[in-house]
Amino acid sequence: QVQLVESGGGLVQAGGSLRLSCAASGNDFSLSLLTMGWYRQAPGKQRELVASINRSGSTYYPDSVKDRFTIRRDNAKNSIDLQMDSLKPEDTAVYYCAAPSGTAVVPSYWGQGTQVTVSS
């Protein structure tokens, strides 16, 4: 059974920063083979992809977070991080780690989610 566990959410003022982490575990599961990503879902909105990173380290960000969010991976530790800078109130959402990830991919595995709240 694969488990993805997020940590690092919280409350921050606009302009501040937060770092989210996701640790993967499970038999025969290796992050290094998959494109991993972070999604978010705000109240009343669809879940959206905010960052992904493939096994070679190539990244994707939508325009809404580009130049503010940075995704990194550590294949040896089976983990990914999301550094979020210059946070805006519209970044408020529940953030999920997922695999595999991509703009045209439906992930098979999801974390439980972590709340990020940005106050104005």
Side-chain angles (χ1 to χ4, degrees), residues 10-18 40-43 45 48 64-65 68-69 84-95 115-120:
L11 173 64
V12 65
Q13 288 189 329
S17 298
L18 281 175
R40 69 185 180 188
Q41 187 166 23
K45 294 189 176 181
E48 60 174 344
S64 58
V65 306
R68 298 189 300 119
F69 288 12
M84 304 184 294
D85 299 318
S86 302
L87 283 162
K88 305 175 181 180
E90 52 263 44
D91 295 318
T92 295
V94 179
Y95 284 70
Q115 177 70 46
V116 171
T117 303
V118 184
S119 62
S120 57

Side-chain angles (χ1 to χ4, degrees), residues 57-78:
S58 295
T59 57
Y60 163 82
Y61 307 96
D63 289 343
S64 58
V65 306
K66 196 172 292 183
D67 299 325
R68 298 189 300 119
F69 288 12
T70 303
I71 187 170
R72 296 186 180 90
R73 69 188 297 158
D74 186 331
N75 290 334
K77 295 182 179 180
N78 254 3

Side-chain angles (χ1 to χ4, degrees), residues 3-4 6 9 28 32-33 36 50 53-55 61 70-71 74 77 84 91 96-97 102 107:
Q3 281 192 316
L4 301 177
E6 302 102 335
D28 300 320
S32 65
L33 302 177
M36 299 292 297
V50 295
I53 183 166
N54 70 11
R55 59 184 180 177
Y61 307 96
T70 303
I71 187 170
D74 186 331
K77 295 182 179 180
M84 304 184 294
D91 295 318
Y96 300 88
C97 172

